[in-house]
Amino acid sequence: MTTTSTPTPSAPTPGAPAPSAPATLWRKATGHQLFWPVAVLVALLLVNVPFTPGFFAIHLQDGHLYGSLVSIVLFGSPLILVALGMTLVIATGGIDLSVGAVVAISGALACLVVSKQADQGSVSGVLLGFALALAVSLVLGAWNGLLVARLGIQPIIATLILMVAGRGVAQLITDGQIITVNSSAYALIGGGYWLTLPFSIFVVTAVVALTMVLTRRTALGLLVEAVGGNAEASRLVGIRSRRIKIMVYMFCGLCAGIAGLMISSNVSAADGNNAGLWIELDAILAVVIGGTSLTGGRFHLGGTIIGALIIQTLTTTIYTIGVPTQTNLVFKAAVVIIVCLLQSPAFRAKVFRSRARKQSPVPAAPAPQIEVSQ
């Protein structure tokens, strides 16, 4: 008599159920770059509903649309612009800490020009103030680019110089005072309405659309990513990496200049000390939340826009639910940490796998099959 033992094969048996369609769809959805930022944005919006009845309501009054959602986009427009320019700077492997100072200088210079006009409501005077402010913003951006690309100064140091000095320049422009203007033409860009919507929304839409066309429909986006991935290698293959860096710093300065016009226009005043204060940190957070790596390379403009909306919605939520003023920064930091962790594939894999191991029972060892032959 001969006895043989045949173990049960470990491979799945034919006809075993395949992963369900909902599970596959969920896996694909959660793997998308924008899934978790959008989910956090929706969650923050829903948190406001119990505290503000009719939070999602939008009503028309005097030909203007009003509502909490409209206000979030309106007050978040300057941050979206600054974060947009910051995205391209970070994509080249740099960073710009001076955008807050550029915001203050732009608003102060425009308000100074308009306040000196005999007729502050003059459209030509307002356009002159806008043109001068944006021209100076471009020059300041070019200054940062030259320090980084030509002189080889580390971006954080080069832009820190203007961050400190620029705030002083804004104070000199305003003579340490708050300059107020009384001009309906000046108030249009930041606080005015057009076609029932805030005019700033149209400005942001135009800048975002132009940026997406230039970076995604031309080779410019690939050049920026190449410089951020490896500046020396891109130079050796013929890409003018220095010129690309100067261009993105100029663009960042221009975006900050437009944001400065919006902020000063919204309150019809320029405050060289507080305008744009710490907006550079919010812009960097928006870029990181949107999925752009601080080491440079690939960038995500859509993610940056969502990240900026998350920051603005979080600010609105803090005031809505009544978080004490002395702890709102801690609350804001906690939410940002949660968002960043949810975006981390390594963190999600570690959490979900450990949870799955706890829930699934340990399979029993298969019993051997005994064959008896005579």
Side-chain angles (χ1 to χ4, degrees):
M1 182 175 69
T2 305
T3 302
T4 59
S5 174
T6 306
T8 304
S10 59
T13 57
S20 61
T24 304
L25 184 62
W26 170 255
R27 196 176 297 113
K28 289 183 178 179
T30 54
H32 193 275
Q33 181 73 31
L34 300 181
F35 175 82
W36 291 106
V38 171
V40 171
L41 177 59
V42 172
L44 285 174
L45 292 173
L46 292 176
V47 167
N48 290 271
V49 175
F51 300 92
T52 306
F55 180 79
F56 290 101
I58 297 177
H59 57 277
L60 184 66
Q61 182 179 349
D62 298 330
H64 301 159
L65 287 177
Y66 293 96
S68 298
L69 297 181
V70 178
S71 298
I72 288 174
V73 179
L74 171 62
F75 294 115
S77 294
L79 178 57
I80 292 175
L81 286 176
V82 175
L84 200 66
M86 187 72 74
T87 301
L88 296 186
V89 169
I90 290 178
T92 61
I95 201 164
D96 192 347
L97 299 180
S98 67
V99 287
V102 176
V103 166
I105 292 174
S106 174
L109 197 55
C111 283
L112 179 65
V113 172
V114 174
S115 66
K116 296 298 183 181
Q117 301 292 322
D119 179 14
Q120 294 189 10
S122 172
V123 175
S124 60
V126 171
L127 292 179
L128 176 63
F130 284 178
L132 185 59
L134 296 181
V136 171
S137 299
L138 281 172
V139 171
L140 295 176
W143 167 260
N144 286 332
L146 288 173
L147 291 181
V148 173
R150 294 294 181 182
L151 300 183
I153 301 176
Q154 289 292 328
I156 192 170
I157 301 300
T159 57
L160 184 63
I161 296 172
L162 185 57
M163 176 185 176
V164 177
R167 190 66 64 175
V169 171
Q171 291 277 45
L172 289 174
I173 294 173
T174 61
D175 197 21
Q177 306 295 322
I178 296 178
I179 300 178
T180 59
V181 295
N182 184 16
S183 172
S184 57
Y186 188 83
L188 175 64
I189 188 173
Y193 282 77
W194 187 53
L195 299 179
T196 73
L197 289 174
F199 187 77
S200 59
I201 294 179
F202 294 99
V203 176
V204 170
T205 302
V207 175
V208 169
L210 180 61
T211 305
M212 286 189 171
V213 168
L214 291 177
T215 57
R216 295 310 181 194
R217 298 298 179 182
T218 69
L220 182 59
L222 294 177
L223 296 178
V224 170
E225 292 179 345
V227 171
N230 192 321
E232 183 62 21
S234 62
R235 186 187 66 82
L236 293 176
V237 298
I239 299 175
R240 297 181 177 179
S241 57
R242 292 180 177 177
R243 181 175 298 181
I244 295 294
K245 287 184 178 181
I246 295 174
M247 286 175 57
V248 297
Y249 277 98
M250 291 179 66
F251 176 73
C252 188
L254 179 63
C255 289
I258 300 175
L261 296 178
M262 285 184 177
I263 292 174
S264 61
S265 169
N266 196 26
V267 295
S268 294
D271 185 354
N273 187 40
N274 295 313
L277 191 63
W278 308 126
I279 196 173
E280 58 273 2
L281 301 184
D282 284 343
I284 295 171
L285 282 177
V287 174
V288 173
I289 290 173
T292 299
S293 173
L294 288 176
T295 57
R298 293 187 61 84
F299 60 92
H300 306 277
L301 296 178
T304 295
I305 296 171
I306 296 174
L309 291 176
I310 287 176
I311 298 297
Q312 183 58 46
T313 304
L314 179 57
T315 302
T316 302
T317 305
I318 287 173
Y319 291 111
T320 298
I321 65 179
V323 175
T325 307
Q326 61 271 22
T327 61
N328 58 9
L329 293 178
V330 177
F331 181 83
K332 188 175 182 179
V335 174
V336 170
I337 290 174
I338 293 173
V339 174
C340 294
L341 288 177
L342 287 175
Q343 279 191 286
S344 170
F347 175 80
R348 294 200 307 270
K350 185 176 181 180
V351 171
F352 293 148
R353 285 175 185 172
S354 61
R355 183 178 177 183
R357 281 196 297 267
K358 291 180 181 179
Q359 292 179 349
S360 59
V362 179
Q369 296 179 353
I370 306 299
E371 295 182 2
V372 180
S373 60
Q374 302 228 345

